Amino acid sequence: MADTRNKQGSGKARAIYASKERQDEWMQAIADRLGRPRITEMPQHPFRGAPDFWRAYDLQQEERINLFMNNWTNLGGHAFRMSSMEEVGRFLLDFVRETGAQKLLMQRQPELMGLGLAEALHDVECTVWDSSAEEMIDEAAQADIGVVVVDHAAAYTGTIVVLSSPDKGRSTSLLPRALVAVVPASAIEASLGPILKGLDARPKDQLPAGVHFITGPSRSSDIENDLTIGVHGPGIVYALVVG
Amino acid sequence: MAETAGSSVKARSKQALQDDFLRKAVKFTTERLKNGKRKATEEHGNWEEWRERGRQIRLHTIAHLDYYLNLFADNARKAGAQVYFARDAAEAAVITREIVREKQARSVVKSKSMVTEELHINHVLEEMDVAAIETDLGEYIIQLAHEPPSHIIIPAIHKNKQQIAEVLSEVAGERLEPDTQVLAGFVRRKLREQFLAAEIGMTGCNFAIAETGSIVIFENEGNARMCSTLPKTQITFMGMERIIPSFEDLEVMATLLPRSATGQKLTAYMSAITGPRRTADGDGPEELHIIIIDNGRSRQLGDPDFQELLNCIRCGACLNVCPVYRHIGGHSYGSVYSGPIGAVLTPALMEDPSEWQDIAYASSLCGACWEACPVKIPLHDMLVYLRNRKVESGTTPTAEQVMFKGFNYMMSDHRRMERFLRLGKVGQKFVARDGYIRIKGPLKGWTNYRDLPEIPKQSFRDRWKELQVEIAQQPRPKTMIQDIEQRMRKVLEERSKGGGSGGGHQE
């Protein structure tokens, strides 16, 4: 296929729009418009990031946990504090039994694999994310519950952050009706700032394809301003803070 | 986009004003959003400092746009995306068509994107016989109703539950109750099938991070995540000015945008997408195409009056506070972008602004838009510049031109003006009743909707001498906002240099 010869698609009509010449032409036109030569060195950016007073914003771990859980609850989510992963396991068993869930999907994360859910739930289909399987998206679409361990959380906004990887599908936190997010207490930052700075600091080839900040359940106010929960993404969202 | 009836703002707003529900719905919604914003900004605190920081970041990025846009394109390619530069709608269509044909796509799922509306991408797909499915709940509803969006954040703001139930019942083939849960539930099921079947997902882009080549999308429903996770091919359309330097800068935008748009601390989803899926990943698109759009934007670069327009983060806060928008609704503006931002942006993006400039008159110049703007764009000033340009281009009606020539003649000599005022005081006796003039004649544009006060017995000019003494005795007020004061000083300076003609635009 033509694709393999050139990533930008040589031999295709659209290749001219993706060419280096076109890019240079554009940048030169911008510089001309701005009435100065082209800038190719990184400019001084004195206003980078949040204002100074905000950089100083921080909370003790207990305060972070409380604020995160409060915000998550106010958004229409449910938040519980748990002392260990065993407690998370027990919660999941109860949740599956009480809701009559038929299918549960979880990320391939050691914390979750260690729960022994598949063994405990005989009559429930328990799937672990498998990037080599063809039909993972369909599996996720059919799942009642998706379970993830989050990478980060931010107390101030009530946000969890999940990063994609071969072991962590983007669909797990998106397609099932209910999302159960395990939030290690140590992963909760006071605000978004440190998490975003962490993304800047990563080597470029180590940024995941998808970094998703999730703040409460899926919602819409498009019909007469009437709040609807769970329009496309999960409407039932649990945050289990562990530690 | 289908244009609404009538060719001028006046004609279109007449239609809107007759639709009682529309007016009430717009008022209700904008008030809710406005109050939500006020609450969120007060709660957060230091709002002015955040606004100023947001403005500085946008100003800095636009001032160095060649550097940052170039960096973004290079980094996005390194991450595996295919990046295109499209000058206008026609070029964007060529690129889109070729990708759609190559993927042999039968259906495309789209998340909300003003840019694709601007480029008429749905029309392009329609011509190819490819289904273009809007997946944002509001967008889906108005697409089925064949209507354009009327609010940047809540596109179906003008439709009530009964009307929505009618539209959706037709698709369902059964009667759906006008109940929000029922209607939203139906759309969820219906669209879930479409997400899983579509070959291509199309999205807009709120911000693009130059240093990492990532695109960032804010949304509440999760449909943009669907469009960027499930189909094998993703096409993202982005205005060339959407850039910010770093993720660190995103914290400021993530503080300003949701609070200004809906009063939320953060939207339910904020997704940063860097390139297509990695080889070993189990989901995400195999190909990511990013089409960067000019379509008139670069014309604002280097233009002292309009460059700040590129700072806009498309939050819709200016719509929610605008007294004119709240009365006439989004459709009256006759374009994709409505409200104060639309009144300026639409003509600014046009190559031949003369046909669009009447929307610059759909404003009372009260400045509420500027106060609400999270990046402090002086929209009300821009509206004046636009009107000024229209007058300079000589496309105003003859009657108006004659009237202002007369005005100019009268005002350019104080003795002449006094004579005219004396004449007016005598002449108005035939038309003024109880202190007001109500006749329709040459003044009907004004007197149709309000009464013109008669010329008073003692005028301001008559009182000037005593007023001058009074003012001299009072201390100078210090309440003027620094920005405005500086701008006015600049105008005065330029005027004293003899270059300007009243602070208007100069080429």
Side-chain angles (χ1 to χ4, degrees):
Chain A
M1 258 175 68
D3 256 27
T4 50
R5 278 205 310 268
N6 183 331
K7 260 199 157 170
Q8 292 305 326
S10 78
K12 295 171 187 170
R14 65 178 191 271
I16 53 161
Y17 304 110
S19 66
K20 189 74 187 135
E21 294 76 48
R22 161 112 335 186
Q23 187 173 335
D24 283 335
E25 199 181 292
W26 263 53
M27 301 312 143
Q28 190 54 54
I30 292 172
D32 291 346
R33 274 265 169 201
L34 290 170
R36 51 156 179 73
R38 229 185 112 177
I39 293 175
T40 49
E41 294 289 309
M42 186 179 172
Q44 278 285 325
H45 179 13
F47 303 102
R48 189 180 171 107
D52 291 337
F53 74 88
W54 186 247
R55 288 162 193 266
Y57 178 79
D58 201 4
L59 300 169
Q60 297 296 316
Q61 194 181 52
E62 277 308 302
E63 295 173 311
R64 292 182 191 186
I65 293 170
N66 289 335
L67 184 57
F68 169 78
M69 289 175 67
N70 267 340
N71 276 327
W72 189 260
T73 311
N74 289 340
L75 290 161
H78 310 278
F80 295 108
R81 180 83 184 266
M82 294 182 178
S83 58
S84 65
M85 283 308 287
E86 286 74 60
E87 213 179 327
V88 171
R90 282 198 295 278
F91 170 86
L92 280 170
L93 288 180
D94 289 346
F95 187 52
V96 167
R97 286 201 189 107
E98 269 175 44
T99 54
Q102 295 298 302
K103 197 171 160 74
L104 185 139
L105 171 68
M106 56 181 167
Q107 307 286 48
R108 187 171 292 277
Q109 289 173 292
E111 299 94 319
L112 300 176
M113 314 273 290
L115 294 176
L117 286 179
E119 296 79 39
L121 295 162
H122 311 288
D123 45 350
V124 176
E125 202 182 328
C126 229
T127 313
V128 177
W129 184 261
D130 179 3
S131 54
S132 61
E134 273 295 307
E135 69 292 357
M136 273 326 282
I137 285 177
D138 293 329
E139 295 272 349
Q142 288 158 24
D144 300 301
I145 305 170
V147 188
V148 304
V149 179
V150 309
D151 295 274
H152 309 280
Y156 189 76
T157 50
T159 303
I160 57 171
V161 187
V162 289
L163 275 54
S164 71
S165 81
D167 293 333
K168 296 182 291 180
R170 300 196 213 174
S171 306
T172 313
S173 61
L174 181 65
L175 295 183
R177 271 200 170 264
L179 169 66
V180 177
V182 177
V183 184
S186 59
I188 306 178
E189 304 284 353
S191 67
L192 291 171
I195 303 167
L196 291 166
K197 273 185 218 158
L199 294 176
D200 279 328
R202 272 177 181 246
K204 276 196 197 96
D205 55 353
Q206 282 172 37
L207 260 182
V211 179
H212 300 284
F213 296 74
I214 303 173
T215 308
S218 152
R219 51 187 280 157
S220 172
S221 302
D222 276 350
I223 299 177
E224 279 193 9
N225 236 298
D226 204 357
L227 180 66
T228 327
I229 295 293
V231 186
H232 292 300
I236 305 159
V237 291
Y238 281 84
L240 311 180
V241 178
V242 180
Chain B
M1 188 193 80
E3 243 103 81
T4 30
S7 57
S8 68
V9 171
K10 210 157 110 192
R12 289 188 299 261
S13 66
K14 202 167 205 171
Q15 194 187 16
L17 287 168
Q18 280 156 359
D19 189 341
D20 207 35
F21 173 77
L22 167 75
R23 207 173 63 245
K24 284 186 186 147
V26 171
K27 188 160 171 275
F28 176 80
T29 312
T30 52
E31 227 140 71
R32 286 264 290 258
L33 292 172
K34 194 175 78 172
N35 292 339
K37 179 192 175 221
R38 206 184 49 219
K39 202 169 148 257
T41 55
E42 278 169 9
E43 245 174 42
H44 186 50
N46 301 302
W47 188 244
E48 283 311 305
E49 280 180 66
W50 283 102
R51 274 179 92 201
E52 182 57 25
R53 184 53 68 117
R55 174 168 172 267
Q56 293 296 353
I57 291 174
R58 293 299 294 150
L59 283 173
H60 170 83
T61 313
I62 300 299
H64 303 90
L65 190 60
D66 48 343
Y67 174 79
Y68 286 117
L69 186 58
N70 194 59
L71 185 64
F72 169 76
D74 286 349
N75 283 329
R77 282 183 181 140
K78 269 183 216 151
Q82 305 191 35
V83 181
Y84 311 86
F85 293 90
R87 210 167 284 148
D88 51 28
E91 292 190 353
V94 169
I95 300 164
T96 307
R97 258 188 233 114
E98 201 179 52
I99 299 169
V100 170
R101 214 173 287 135
E102 193 177 283
K103 300 298 156 205
Q104 301 180 328
R106 306 291 313 142
S107 68
V108 171
V109 282
K110 291 183 66 208
S111 64
K112 193 158 84 179
S113 150
M114 299 303 283
V115 174
T116 60
E117 293 270 350
E118 186 188 318
L119 302 172
H120 309 298
I121 292 298
N122 287 6
H123 187 67
V124 171
L125 296 171
E126 207 174 288
E127 277 178 351
M128 298 178 74
D129 219 11
V130 172
I133 302 145
E134 295 289 350
T135 60
D136 172 90
L137 180 54
E139 293 277 349
Y140 181 66
I141 292 164
I142 58 169
Q143 187 185 33
L144 291 175
H146 304 288
E147 285 167 19
S150 60
H151 188 285
I152 192 168
I153 301 295
I154 306 183
I157 188 173
H158 58 286
K159 295 199 95 62
N160 67 20
K161 232 175 262 180
Q162 279 72 27
Q163 292 170 319
I164 294 170
E166 272 170 40
V167 170
L168 293 179
S169 295
E170 220 170 284
V171 182
E174 58 173 318
R175 224 191 92 69
L176 297 173
E177 288 302 312
D179 173 272
T180 310
Q181 291 301 329
V182 172
L183 300 174
F186 168 74
V187 173
R188 179 186 163 99
R189 285 191 302 279
K190 183 80 196 161
L191 285 181
R192 191 51 80 88
E193 298 161 20
Q194 317 271 24
F195 283 126
L196 292 167
E199 293 88 356
I200 295 179
M202 285 186 183
T203 78
C205 163
N206 292 97
F207 299 102
I209 314 274
E211 290 175 10
T212 60
S214 316
I215 54 172
V216 182
I217 303 174
F218 288 72
E219 52 147 351
N220 275 316
E221 296 179 7
N223 58 315
R225 280 192 70 189
M226 299 276 183
C227 292
S228 60
T229 303
L230 305 181
K232 289 222 157 106
T233 304
Q234 178 184 347
I235 306 179
T236 292
F237 296 84
M238 92 177 223
M240 63 187 285
E241 82 288 18
R242 292 293 101 210
I243 304 278
I244 50 174
S246 65
F247 272 109
E248 220 184 312
D249 294 307
L250 180 63
E251 186 180 13
V252 179
M253 300 305 147
T255 299
L256 294 172
L257 177 58
R259 283 180 177 84
S260 300
T262 54
Q264 290 171 277
K265 286 180 181 154
L266 192 58
T267 47
Y269 302 106
M270 175 174 87
S271 305
I273 296 161
T274 314
R277 76 158 78 171
R278 304 295 176 260
T279 324
D281 284 356
D283 58 358
E286 286 164 10
E287 282 180 29
L288 171 62
H289 301 264
I290 301 174
I291 306 180
I292 300 171
I293 311 291
D294 183 334
N295 207 32
R297 286 166 175 77
S298 62
R299 210 170 296 129
Q300 321 320 318
L301 286 168
D303 182 328
D305 297 337
F306 292 101
Q307 184 165 317
E308 280 181 70
L309 206 47
L310 298 171
N311 295 355
C312 176
I313 60 172
R314 306 282 192 270
C315 68
C318 59
L319 278 62
N320 302 331
V321 297
C322 178
V324 176
Y325 176 88
R326 281 158 62 181
H327 276 90
I328 67 178
H331 288 162
S332 303
Y333 292 81
S335 102
V336 178
Y337 302 101
S338 58
I341 182 67
V344 182
L345 191 60
T346 306
L349 292 178
M350 288 284 161
E351 198 150 6
D352 175 21
S354 62
E355 45 179 312
W356 282 98
Q357 277 176 349
D358 76 320
I359 73 173
Y361 289 82
S363 162
S364 64
L365 302 179
C366 69
C369 45
W370 170 76
E371 271 176 43
C373 177
V375 290
K376 302 207 254 190
I377 302 172
L379 284 168
H380 57 313
D381 285 351
M382 293 180 178
L383 286 162
V384 176
Y385 302 147
L386 274 176
R387 294 181 189 185
N388 190 24
R389 284 186 191 186
K390 176 159 183 171
V391 172
E392 279 175 358
S393 71
T395 52
T396 41
T398 319
E400 190 183 312
Q401 286 183 27
V402 169
M403 217 151 116
F404 274 96
K405 276 215 181 91
F407 186 70
N408 185 22
Y409 173 74
M410 182 177 87
M411 294 296 282
S412 53
D413 180 331
H414 71 95
R415 278 178 304 258
R416 202 180 285 149
M417 180 177 167
E418 259 159 44
R419 279 202 299 279
F420 270 103
L421 278 178
R422 273 203 303 277
L423 201 66
K425 274 183 205 167
V426 179
Q428 71 179 354
K429 286 190 178 137
F430 299 101
V431 290
R433 296 280 175 278
D434 312 319
Y436 287 97
I437 297 169
R438 296 191 178 86
I439 50 153
K440 318 223 154 138
L443 298 173
K444 74 171 187 309
W446 180 275
T447 54
N448 256 352
Y449 303 104
R450 20 179 154 36
D451 299 330
L452 187 70
E454 66 172 10
I455 302 169
K457 287 192 181 69
Q458 199 198 17
S459 71
F460 181 74
R461 288 172 56 85
D462 295 336
R463 293 181 55 208
W464 179 238
K465 280 220 172 74
E466 41 180 300
L467 285 173
Q468 230 175 353
V469 179
E470 225 172 276
I471 291 165
Q473 284 162 355
Q474 281 167 4
R476 191 167 155 266
K478 295 217 160 150
T479 50
M480 196 179 262
I481 296 163
Q482 265 191 334
D483 263 19
I484 303 181
E485 189 171 348
Q486 271 171 7
R487 204 171 289 143
M488 288 177 77
R489 273 183 201 286
K490 220 171 83 193
V491 170
L492 281 175
E493 268 168 39
E494 268 166 28
R495 217 184 272 174
S496 67
K497 272 186 247 156
S501 55
H505 168 78
Q506 287 130 44
E507 293 298 334

